[in-house]
Amino acid sequence: MAKSLFVCQSCGAEHRKWMGQCPDCNGWNSITEQVIDGVAAKAAGKGRVLNTSSITDISSERCPRRSTLIEEFDRVLGGGLVQGSAVLIGGDPGIGKSTLLLQAASKLAGAGTVLYITGEESVQQVNLRGQRIGAMHQSLQLASACELESMLATIDKVRPSAVIIDSIQTTVSNRLTSAPGTVSQVRDCSAALIQHAKKCGHALILVGHVTKDGALAGPRVLEHMVDAVIYFEGDRGHAHRILRAVKNRFGPAGEIGVFEMTDAGLIGIRDASRMFLAERARDVPGSVVLACMEGTRPLLVEVQALIAPTVYAAPKRSAVGVDGGRVAMLTAVLERRVGLPLSQHDVYINIAGGARIAEPAVDLAVLLAMLSAFQERPVPAEVAVFGEVGLTGEVRPVGQPEARAREAANLGFSRILLPKENHERVQKADIIANMRADAQIPIALIPVRQLADAAQMLFG
């Protein structure tokens, strides 16, 4: 006998009756009715005893990987696709998810059959895209389907080395009566595909839609089920795209890959720092170069600040590419510890090029950019900075200062402003001595303990 169940589409919580607000996630109008077919309960039985082995007897050989032959994609994956793994890729519509995966599928097909199943397009549309970006290979098999059972049967017949599902929100199972994209459909279809991949040993890549808030649509448990979660980031006003690993069981989380969108598809950019600083204006107030870390990769970006008298009762604090709450806190630090009167000024912060920086090492660069913009005095063009700033104005050390200093020196910056506690680590690494010998330019480290010391050294 069929019965009804009410499921929240935001968190997946199940309820016996409909409610306007979900008591678990406090979401409004997110509970929908789903009809569940009555199935006889399975007879309870005694479970079998599992085979166990000592941890010292288990082989420690690395999981076999397959390179996608796209260097930036392999970097984010941790070295390539692991056989039997499940990877979830999300991003805004039109950001380039299908384009990148079709390029990767074409290159993977050189070492074995790859099955690309699309539920949003026809095989003719995928073929046209493949011709445009040059992603054509005889071993790349295309199929257009939304039914889970048909997908599993096709995978059993083709026996591919990698399977791409575009997208998981369009996949439906005949065992469920709910609509495509609902919590139950996404959860059950993903679980079936992942279990099948683990059993057969092929790599599985799932494409996921995102909500208007930028999070992956569907139940949160989906991100726990897969081995890697990758987000595609980018601004439609810029040609570059950033691939960021949020979770990775086979590599470092937080790693990024930088691509440029062209007519021939996505092209990996190895020297991303030079690209972000290509249009930097020199000797302009409010501009500071930040040496940050994205995963294991050092990156130089430009931090811009603009301070103008406010026309509102309360001054505005706006930030693009960095957390707005942190900018408001740093504004208070600058006003209290350095004495800048910002209570009647609007503050605007921007990370040029569309990059997003979440690490605390951005603090010192933001504060110096604001100080430069307020005084209308430019920061010297040869200076790169990094460091976290506390509420008392102290400059705190950050991780991997050697990689940051090396990247800055490689791009020709001769003065590096850094926390005092990081100074000894960079000196012991002999980075500056080596760079001075190679570049034939004087490179100086400027250690600081307090924000006021940094302001004094740059502006006097």
Side-chain angles (χ1 to χ4, degrees):
M1 181 178 179
K3 65 177 182 178
S4 295
L5 192 66
F6 296 88
V7 182
C8 176
Q9 300 304 309
S10 297
C11 65
E14 299 178 353
H15 308 281
R16 294 185 177 274
K17 62 179 181 179
W18 184 89
M19 291 176 286
Q21 184 183 25
C22 176
D24 292 353
C25 67
N26 297 325
W28 288 95
N29 298 324
S30 59
I31 298 178
T32 59
E33 182 181 6
Q34 296 182 9
V35 179
I36 302 177
D37 294 333
V39 179
K42 294 182 179 180
K46 186 176 180 180
R48 64 182 179 88
V49 179
L50 300 177
N51 296 325
T52 64
S53 58
S54 173
I55 190 172
T56 59
D57 299 334
I58 300 176
S59 175
S60 60
E61 295 181 359
R62 296 183 61 187
C63 298
R65 295 179 183 267
R66 295 187 59 194
S67 174
T68 63
L69 301 181
I70 302 177
E71 183 179 355
E72 293 297 307
F73 195 16
D74 285 342
R75 177 199 294 271
V76 177
L77 291 172
L81 277 174
V82 177
Q83 294 301 106
S85 65
V87 180
L88 177 63
I89 297 182
D92 295 333
I95 202 70
K97 302 184 297 296
S98 300
T99 300
L100 176 64
L101 291 180
L102 188 58
Q103 290 179 249
S106 176
K107 296 181 181 298
L108 287 170
T113 304
V114 177
L115 179 59
Y116 189 105
I117 302 177
T118 173
E120 301 176 349
E121 302 174 289
S122 63
V123 292
Q124 290 79 11
Q125 289 176 304
V126 179
N127 175 264
L128 289 175
R129 185 189 301 116
Q131 293 180 7
R132 176 173 57 86
I133 63 178
M136 306 293 289
H137 198 282
Q138 186 67 28
S139 298
L140 176 55
Q141 303 292 317
L142 300 180
S144 179
C146 295
E147 187 183 42
L148 172 65
E149 289 74 18
S150 300
M151 293 180 182
L152 297 178
T154 305
I155 294 173
D156 288 335
K157 179 181 178 181
V158 177
R159 292 290 179 181
S161 60
V163 177
I164 299 174
I165 307 295
D166 187 7
S167 65
I168 189 61
Q169 273 78 17
T170 62
T171 306
V172 294
S173 174
N174 292 332
R175 297 183 296 104
L176 302 175
T177 58
S178 54
T182 56
V183 169
S184 55
Q185 287 283 7
V186 173
R187 181 183 59 235
D188 291 4
C189 292
S190 299
L193 290 168
I194 293 172
Q195 184 179 6
H196 197 267
K198 303 289 185 184
K199 177 182 177 181
C200 299
H202 60 263
L204 175 67
I205 300 179
L206 304 175
V207 178
H209 295 168
V210 295
T211 62
K212 61 182 180 181
D213 297 328
L216 282 167
R220 191 69 177 182
V221 70
L222 176 60
E223 299 186 29
H224 296 279
M225 294 164 59
V226 297
D227 298 307
V229 179
I230 299 175
Y231 277 89
F232 229 131
E233 302 174 357
D235 190 346
R236 295 184 182 274
H238 299 87
H240 66 268
R241 303 287 187 268
I242 297 177
L243 200 62
R244 187 185 306 273
V246 178
K247 168 191 173 182
N248 193 353
R249 290 174 179 161
F250 306 106
E255 192 66 68
I256 69 166
V258 184
F259 297 86
E260 182 181 3
M261 178 64 78
T262 65
D263 294 338
L266 289 162
I267 300 177
I269 300 176
R270 182 179 300 178
D271 194 357
S273 297
R274 200 175 300 275
M275 180 200 70
F276 281 115
L277 298 179
E279 300 179 2
R280 180 172 69 100
R282 297 175 178 267
D283 299 326
V284 176
S287 175
V288 176
V289 175
L290 164 69
C292 62
M293 292 295 300
E294 290 291 346
T296 60
R297 182 178 193 166
L299 198 64
L300 297 187
V301 296
E302 181 187 5
V303 179
Q304 298 176 338
L306 177 64
I307 297 180
T310 184
V311 295
Y312 305 102
K316 189 175 182 181
R317 308 287 185 252
S318 179
V320 176
V322 66
D323 182 51
R326 196 166 193 87
V327 170
M329 182 189 71
L330 294 175
T331 304
V333 172
L334 191 61
E335 186 171 5
R336 185 67 174 175
R337 303 304 174 188
V338 183
L340 244 61
L342 298 177
S343 59
Q344 300 298 323
H345 291 78
D346 293 333
V347 177
Y348 302 91
I349 303 296
N350 176 46
I351 305 297
R356 293 184 178 93
I357 308 300
E359 66 165 348
V362 72
D363 292 353
L364 187 57
V366 170
L367 287 169
L368 293 178
M370 293 167 59
L371 188 60
S372 171
F374 183 83
Q375 295 185 347
E376 289 293 331
R377 298 177 61 183
V379 174
E382 70 276 6
V383 174
V385 306
F386 60 86
E388 180 184 358
V389 179
L391 292 180
T392 60
E394 79 280 10
V395 180
R396 296 174 173 266
V398 296
Q400 305 184 54
E402 302 91 346
R404 302 171 194 264
R406 184 181 294 110
E407 182 72 8
N410 278 331
L411 269 71
F413 290 89
S414 58
R415 298 168 63 189
I416 303 174
L417 198 68
L418 73 167
K420 179 69 175 179
E421 286 76 6
N422 288 143
H423 183 235
E424 294 183 2
R425 286 185 55 180
V426 178
Q427 277 190 326
K428 290 180 180 179
D430 293 332
I431 296 171
I432 303 304
N434 296 335
M435 289 299 172
R436 184 180 292 113
D438 296 340
Q440 301 297 326
I441 58 174
I443 300 176
L445 296 177
I446 307 175
V448 293
R449 287 187 181 275
Q450 295 288 328
L451 176 61
D453 298 338
Q456 179 69 22
M457 290 181 179
L458 290 181
F459 305 108

